[in-house]
Amino acid sequence: MAKQQKTARELQLLISEWLGMSPEDHRSEKIKIFALNDTWRAMSARHDDNPDFRNDVIAASILLSERYTLED
């Protein structure tokens, strides 16, 4: 199965949705997408976030990177 290409913003929203965040939750804007070799990862850029939230963002990006690629 071919992976779908997504923009960084689309990936932010997918991760937010994966974590059960509402569209009004502005934490999604603080999720940063990084290109990493042939894949991508996400991290929370907020220093005041709960460590569990930061770990969940990273875990969601690992799972979603199996389905989606980052557009150039």
Side-chain angles (χ1 to χ4, degrees):
M1 182 169 88
K3 293 182 181 182
Q4 295 179 3
Q5 288 192 335
K6 298 287 183 184
T7 65
R9 182 63 184 147
E10 289 172 324
L11 292 171
Q12 285 175 326
L13 295 173
L14 281 169
I15 290 170
S16 300
E17 184 179 306
W18 184 276
L19 297 176
M21 296 165 53
S22 71
E24 295 82 28
D25 193 328
H26 294 287
R27 288 182 296 173
S28 70
E29 297 168 3
K30 298 296 182 182
I31 296 172
K32 301 299 178 194
I33 307 296
F34 299 94
L36 180 67
N37 297 327
D38 292 334
T39 190
W40 60 274
R41 289 291 178 264
M43 295 179 68
S44 173
R46 290 175 49 130
H47 299 293
D48 60 338
D49 274 334
N50 180 318
D52 288 336
F53 177 75
R54 289 192 305 261
N55 291 336
D56 290 346
V57 167
I58 293 167
S61 74
I62 291 168
L63 292 171
L64 291 171
S65 69
E66 295 177 11
R67 296 184 198 171
Y68 303 102
T69 60
L70 179 60
E71 285 183 358
D72 293 331

